[in-house]
Amino acid sequence: MAIDLNELNSDDRYRTVAMNQFNSITAENIFKPVYLHPNENTFNWVEADQLVDFCETNNKRLHGHTLIWHNQLPSWIENFEGTSSDWDLMFKKHIQTICTHFKGKVSSWDVVNEAFEDNGELRNTIWRQKIGDSYIEKAFVYAHESDPDAVLFYNDYNIASKKAKRQAILELFNSLRQKGVPIHGIGMQMHISIDYPKNKKIENALTELSDDGYKIHFSEIDISVNPNGKDIEPSTELYDCQADKLTAITKLYKEIPSEYQYGMTFWGVSDQNTWIRTFFGREDYPLLFDDDYNTKPVYCKFKETL
Ligand code: XIL
């Protein structure tokens, strides 16, 4: 599950669920560059290390999210001035300082997040503009140099629903792998809804990625019951549809060979703390626990399916 450290520290109900119900943790925000690397020569380990302690004490796997992304960047990176080799050095130091700090504590990394557009073109991120297309390859090489044991992922959304995007991702990473670049898995974010994408599309994506030898992480699951932001009340009917959707994708996930199943991560605990409400400003109930931390039908059916 994705953890918000403030909630973990301030709400016993949240903490109890985090401790008892999940065995793998991703930081929802505090491992992102804006938090970990607020100034060029300052790394802020305080909160992240608290999460490391929580994981060590409670025997949880910790997944690092994310080293390189175009969002949640500190302003010093956005305003950084220099040649492309200055950018490359800064980029390398960013990745390697972080990977070295968490070596042996973080099992796996989303090395690069959301580098493709839905149509399969490379997103024109600041990293691409300043370093060139090879920034993706370099990020994996640098991360691996600092922590050769870490499992390295590329992470993105709409991998199941957008075929062009998936094909472009596979084309790039298959060719990099042939060159020996260490890329171990692909994170499918899975911000989905009760009826989109269709299960068949998810099945096809799982087959293609695992056939090509990638570990697959359902890295940011939430299942919207109100994708169009209507005026709704949570109902038994919606909750049952949500339970059916999660059951279906869990069954599909369990069908891929076990060596390619990295895990399923929910993007939050209770509907009360879903990013969807604040980020998209719509009413929604996408997680396993309701606003009062009671289990929902989706939780019960999921547990039966596991
Ligand atoms: C989201 C967090 O959940 C929010 O709290 C934050 O305000 C914005 O980022 N894809 C990702 C995640 O890879 O990092 C995003 O997390 C959700 C979309």
Side-chain angles (χ1 to χ4, degrees):
M1 57 165 283
I3 282 216
D4 177 326
L5 195 69
N6 290 330
E7 298 288 339
L8 187 72
N9 288 335
S10 63
D11 191 329
D12 285 344
R13 297 169 306 174
Y14 186 101
R15 199 177 175 85
T16 305
V17 173
M19 284 177 42
N20 298 333
Q21 302 282 347
F22 300 94
N23 59 8
S24 177
I25 300 288
T26 306
E28 186 171 349
N29 285 298
I30 59 174
F31 273 64
K32 293 173 180 170
V34 70
Y35 294 96
L36 274 191
H37 198 175
N39 291 298
E40 185 168 0
N41 295 310
T42 316
F43 288 85
N44 166 29
W45 311 120
V46 179
E47 286 88 14
D49 284 349
Q50 271 186 37
L51 194 60
V52 168
D53 288 346
F54 173 81
C55 291
E56 280 176 354
T57 310
N58 294 289
N59 205 16
K60 313 282 186 210
R61 180 179 77 180
L62 181 55
H63 174 71
H65 172 80
T66 174
L67 294 167
I68 296 299
W69 192 24
H70 60 282
N71 282 333
Q72 293 182 281
L73 283 175
S75 54
W76 74 267
I77 292 186
E78 278 168 352
N79 300 323
F80 186 83
E81 287 182 10
T83 62
S84 76
S85 78
D86 296 333
W87 270 85
D88 189 4
L89 270 176
M90 175 270 272
F91 171 85
K92 182 173 184 181
K93 181 175 167 217
H94 169 76
I95 294 171
Q96 295 205 322
T97 310
I98 294 172
C99 288
T100 304
H101 179 83
F102 294 109
K103 190 167 155 38
K105 296 174 175 162
V106 163
S107 313
S108 50
W109 284 101
D110 287 334
V111 178
V112 178
N113 195 33
E114 301 180 353
F116 282 88
E117 303 280 0
D118 282 351
N119 65 8
E121 281 171 20
L122 273 183
R123 189 190 294 276
N124 205 15
T125 66
I126 197 162
W127 303 113
R128 180 177 183 228
Q129 290 167 33
K130 305 294 184 183
I131 300 172
D133 294 358
S134 64
Y135 86 91
I136 298 175
E137 166 178 359
K138 287 179 169 162
F140 281 87
V141 171
Y142 295 156
H144 186 70
E145 276 172 13
S146 295
D147 186 355
D149 294 329
V151 185
L152 303 183
F153 283 87
Y154 173 74
N155 192 54
D156 213 331
Y157 58 90
N158 287 349
I159 290 182
S161 54
K162 305 289 178 193
K163 195 169 180 197
K165 184 175 207 172
R166 180 167 74 253
Q167 283 176 339
I169 289 170
L170 282 175
E171 202 178 304
L172 174 69
F173 289 110
N174 287 346
S175 75
L176 293 180
R177 276 185 135 187
Q178 279 194 338
K179 283 176 32 181
V181 179
I183 295 155
H184 309 113
I186 295 190
M188 298 173 67
Q189 289 185 7
M190 304 303 278
H191 298 294
I192 62 175
S193 76
I194 47 179
D195 49 19
Y196 183 84
K198 297 283 175 237
N199 297 336
K200 190 74 202 158
K201 295 224 166 181
I202 296 172
E203 183 177 6
N204 290 343
L206 287 170
T207 308
E208 284 179 29
L209 300 186
S210 57
D211 279 354
D212 279 357
Y214 294 95
K215 290 183 190 299
I216 301 172
H217 182 196
F218 276 175
S219 55
E220 305 181 13
I221 306 168
D222 39 37
I223 303 181
S224 170
V225 297
N226 188 24
N228 299 320
K230 297 194 178 130
D231 222 357
I232 58 152
E233 290 286 326
S235 63
T236 312
E237 197 194 340
L238 282 176
Y239 277 177
D240 286 346
C241 289
Q242 184 179 50
D244 289 346
K245 187 72 182 177
L246 183 61
T247 307
I249 68 167
T250 304
K251 285 186 177 151
L252 293 172
Y253 189 77
K254 286 175 71 178
E255 278 168 22
I256 61 177
S258 58
E259 72 257 42
Y260 299 132
Q261 295 177 22
Y262 194 69
M264 298 175 66
T265 297
F266 292 86
W267 207 242
V269 177
S270 114
D271 288 338
Q272 187 196 115
N273 25 69
T274 171
W275 74 299
I276 291 180
R277 289 188 187 172
T278 38
F279 197 86
F280 298 106
R282 69 173 195 251
E283 196 175 347
D284 219 324
Y285 306 89
L287 295 167
L288 296 175
F289 296 82
D290 73 12
D291 280 60
D292 298 318
Y293 292 85
N294 299 312
T295 56
K296 290 164 58 186
V298 63
Y299 169 92
C300 302
K301 262 197 111 176
F302 176 59
K303 261 199 121 168
E304 282 167 28
T305 315
L306 272 180

